[in-house]
């Protein structure tokens, strides 16, 4: 009996212990479920951002975005301007611009040398050994002034005009790049975020195409706003001005308007100023596809790269991922749109104002195809790709890193 009572007592204690454990387990489950509900509430009220590259975009104002983009454009314009000059020279030569010594004809020599014109030295450079003497004038053969490729353009510009001419049009490039990119990248950010939010709610299958449409819209707005400066930059880079100080941005634009006014009898002032947008169609035909290809390539590449870093992202990883993605995307887009860039350059350097106003992009492309075939359409593709890859990489990475730094300033 005593043993039986002990067994009953032990079983009752075990039962009590089990019940108390069950109560504790129930409490733990309850607490876990409550914490899950709380976490679900936090996740519901603060959804995780879809884009790893857009770090707290909502906290950055439009002036801060514009500041980030303008700094990126300033740096890029200075670093890659020599390749832009080389590309423009190759395309202008293919369009028929004659590169020779500016004093190779008698009238220009008389104006420049005066009484000493009979003993003029018209060599491409003082060290040229190919120059011959024609009468009393030392002059180089024509091929000394003809460009045979990218490296040859670099060599001849440095030798004949000085290394500083590789940065010809940099002031126009800066005057163009800072406002253009200051409009372009912030507008792209805003358009992309709104389009992705809209498509995610209404048409999820269209969300991957949001960067393509956002880039096209933002680039169209930026190009149209700043196009006259682009026109001045191309003309400054295409033409040589040896022997005199080259004109600046404003003087170049004034000369363009004056040519129209002096060759037309129309009293319509808009006709004169419309020439400042000569080639805008070719510019949009080049830049809109460029932006569409660039952003639709760049976004998935940099998201994939940033996803490898995860929560350990820092300024260096943001810089590396964006530069790599921008370099690849910019190179592909530049190669694909090179024929349209050739057409844009031809329309911008046209000196006959009447013909310039009547030219269309389609007609220009047909002329290029008729004169040079496929090689003509891809004139300057090397320096164009060499410029666009680093340029897009620098602009996008600098822009995203500055946004990243500003975001951390907000959080601290």
């Amino acid at each position: 009996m005593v043993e039986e009572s002990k067994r009953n007592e032990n079983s009752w204690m075990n039962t009590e212990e089990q019940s108390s454990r069950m109560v504790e387990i129930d409490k733990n489950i309850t607490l876990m479920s409550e914490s899950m509900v709380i976490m679900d509430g936090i996740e519901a009220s603060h959804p995780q951002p879809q884009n790893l590259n857009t770090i707290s975009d909502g906290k950055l104002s439009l002036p801060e975005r514009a500041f980030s983009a303008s700094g990126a454009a300033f740096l890029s314009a200075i670093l890659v301007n020599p390749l832009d000059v080389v590309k423009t020279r190759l395309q202008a030569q293919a369009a028929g611009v004659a590169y020779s010594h500016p004093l190779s004809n008698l009238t220009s020599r008389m104006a420049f040398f005066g009484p000493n014109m009979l003993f003029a030295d018209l060599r491409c450079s003082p060290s040229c050994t190919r120059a011959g003497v024609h009468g009393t004038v030392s002059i180089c053969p024509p091929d000394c002034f003809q460009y045979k490729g990218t490296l040859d353009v670099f060599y001849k510009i440095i030798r004949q005009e000085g290394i500083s001419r590789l940065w010809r049009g940099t002031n126009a490039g800066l005057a163009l790049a800072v406002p253009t990119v200051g409009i372009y990248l912030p507008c792209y950010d805003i358009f992309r975020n709104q389009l992705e939010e809209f498509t995610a709610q209404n048409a999820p299958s269209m969300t991957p195409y949001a960067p393509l449409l956002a880039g096209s819209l933002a680039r169209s707005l930026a190009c149209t706003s700043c196009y006259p400066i682009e026109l001045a930059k191309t003309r400054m880079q295409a033409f040589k001005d040896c022997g005199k100080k080259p004109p600046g941005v404003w003087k170049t634009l004034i000369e363009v308007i004056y040519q129209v006014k002096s060759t037309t009898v129309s009293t319509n002032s808009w006709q004169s100023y419309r020439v400042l947008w000569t080639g805008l169609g070719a510019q949009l035909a080049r830049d809109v596809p460029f932006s569409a290809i660039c952003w639709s390539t760049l976004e998935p590449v940099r998201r994939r790269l940033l996803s490898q870093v995860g929560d350990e992202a820092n300024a260096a990883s943001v810089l590396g991922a964006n530069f790599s993605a921008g370099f690849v995307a910019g190179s592909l887009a530049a190669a694909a749109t090179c024929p349209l860039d050739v057409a844009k350059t031809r329309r911008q350097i046209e000196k006959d104002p009447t013909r310039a106003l009547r030219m269309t992009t389609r007609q220009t492309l047909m002329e290029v195809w008729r004169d040079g075939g496929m090689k003509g359409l891809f004139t300057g593709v090397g320096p164009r790709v060499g410029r666009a890859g680093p340029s897009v990489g620098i602009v996008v990475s600098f822009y995203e890193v500055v946004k990243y730094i500003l975001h951390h300033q907000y959080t601290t």
Side-chain angles (χ1 to χ4, degrees):
M1 292 292 293
V2 174
E3 291 179 359
E4 186 175 355
S5 63
K6 286 182 178 180
R7 286 197 202 101
N8 292 333
E9 184 178 357
N10 290 334
S11 63
W12 179 81
M13 291 178 65
N14 290 334
T15 304
E16 186 177 5
E17 288 177 2
Q18 290 177 0
S19 63
S20 63
R21 288 175 183 173
M22 290 294 291
V23 170
E24 290 178 0
I25 291 172
D26 289 339
K27 288 181 178 179
N28 291 333
I29 292 174
T30 303
L31 290 172
M32 289 174 64
S33 63
E34 289 177 353
S35 64
M36 290 288 287
V37 171
I38 293 171
M39 290 300 292
D40 288 342
I42 293 174
E43 290 178 0
S45 60
H46 300 284
Q48 294 297 320
Q50 292 181 350
N51 299 338
L52 292 170
N53 58 288
T54 54
I55 303 171
S56 297
D57 276 350
K59 291 185 178 181
L60 296 178
S61 63
L62 185 60
E64 288 171 330
R65 295 173 193 267
F67 169 76
S68 304
S70 299
F74 182 87
L75 181 63
S76 174
I78 293 176
L79 293 178
V80 301
N81 194 79
L83 285 166
D84 200 29
V85 172
V86 171
K87 178 214 61 163
T88 303
R89 289 285 180 95
L90 286 171
Q91 292 178 350
Q93 178 178 262
V97 175
Y99 288 115
S100 60
H101 200 287
L103 304 178
S104 56
N105 64 77
L106 182 62
T107 305
S108 60
R109 285 205 298 273
M110 290 179 62
F112 187 80
F113 288 107
N116 299 321
M117 74 165 189
L118 294 177
F119 304 98
D121 185 356
L122 302 182
R123 289 177 294 174
C124 61
S125 70
S127 59
C128 181
T129 58
R130 303 184 60 199
V133 177
H134 295 264
T136 58
V137 177
S138 299
I139 190 167
C140 287
D143 60 342
C144 274
F145 301 96
Q146 293 175 354
Y147 302 129
K148 301 180 180 66
T150 302
L151 295 179
D152 191 52
V153 180
F154 273 113
Y155 173 73
K156 287 179 176 175
I157 288 178
I158 293 172
R159 187 176 181 181
Q160 299 172 11
E161 305 173 54
I163 193 170
S164 63
R165 284 304 177 95
L166 290 174
W167 279 267
R168 179 86 170 96
T170 301
N171 55 347
L174 292 175
L176 171 70
V178 171
T180 300
V181 179
I183 295 170
Y184 178 37
L185 289 182
C187 288
Y188 168 76
D189 265 353
I190 294 169
F191 292 160
R192 184 201 60 208
N193 292 340
Q194 292 180 348
L195 287 170
E196 286 185 342
E197 183 180 352
F198 177 80
T199 55
Q201 295 176 357
N202 299 282
S205 61
M206 300 298 294
T207 302
Y209 300 101
L212 185 150
L213 182 57
S216 301
L217 291 173
R219 191 65 186 176
S220 299
L221 179 62
C223 283
T224 306
S225 303
C226 305
Y227 183 77
I229 306 176
E230 170 70 26
L231 177 67
K233 186 193 74 158
T234 302
R235 283 180 167 254
M236 291 168 68
Q237 291 176 343
F239 301 116
K240 297 170 72 172
D241 295 288
C242 296
K244 62 178 181 178
K245 183 180 178 181
V249 178
W250 295 113
K251 188 175 181 181
T252 302
L253 293 177
I254 291 171
E255 287 178 355
V256 172
I257 297 173
Y258 178 76
Q259 287 175 357
V260 178
K261 288 184 175 180
S262 61
T263 55
T264 59
V265 295
S266 174
T267 57
N268 186 2
S269 61
W270 164 244
Q271 188 76 3
S272 301
Y273 291 102
R274 189 169 71 89
V275 74
L276 296 179
W277 276 265
T278 299
L280 176 61
Q283 176 90 0
L284 292 175
R286 181 199 71 171
D287 282 4
V288 171
F290 179 92
S291 295
I293 296 170
C294 182
W295 289 112
S296 58
T297 304
L298 187 148
E299 287 291 353
V301 171
R302 73 173 171 185
R303 288 177 187 178
R304 177 66 64 87
L305 293 174
L306 287 170
S307 66
Q308 302 297 322
V309 181
D311 296 334
E312 298 178 358
N314 53 29
S317 60
V318 172
L319 175 68
N322 281 280
F323 182 83
S324 302
F327 187 92
V328 172
S331 300
L332 290 175
T337 57
C338 187
L340 296 166
D341 185 59
V342 173
K344 176 204 73 100
T345 301
R346 286 211 176 190
R347 293 192 63 186
Q348 289 178 334
I349 64 174
E350 178 58 52
K351 286 195 169 183
D352 183 355
T354 304
R355 186 170 186 269
L357 291 171
R358 292 177 180 175
M359 290 173 69
T360 65
T361 303
R362 181 178 176 277
Q363 290 174 347
T364 307
L365 287 172
M366 293 301 294
E367 287 179 7
V368 175
W369 173 260
R370 185 178 62 249
D371 295 340
M374 187 64 69
K375 184 179 179 181
L377 290 173
F378 285 89
T379 301
V381 66
R384 173 167 166 77
V385 171
R387 172 193 177 278
S391 179
V392 175
I394 291 169
V395 168
V396 173
S397 59
F398 187 93
Y399 179 63
E400 293 295 335
V401 167
V402 173
K403 282 168 54 180
Y404 179 86
I405 294 171
L406 291 174
H407 163 67
H408 276 269
Q409 287 183 348
Y410 278 116
T411 57
T412 56

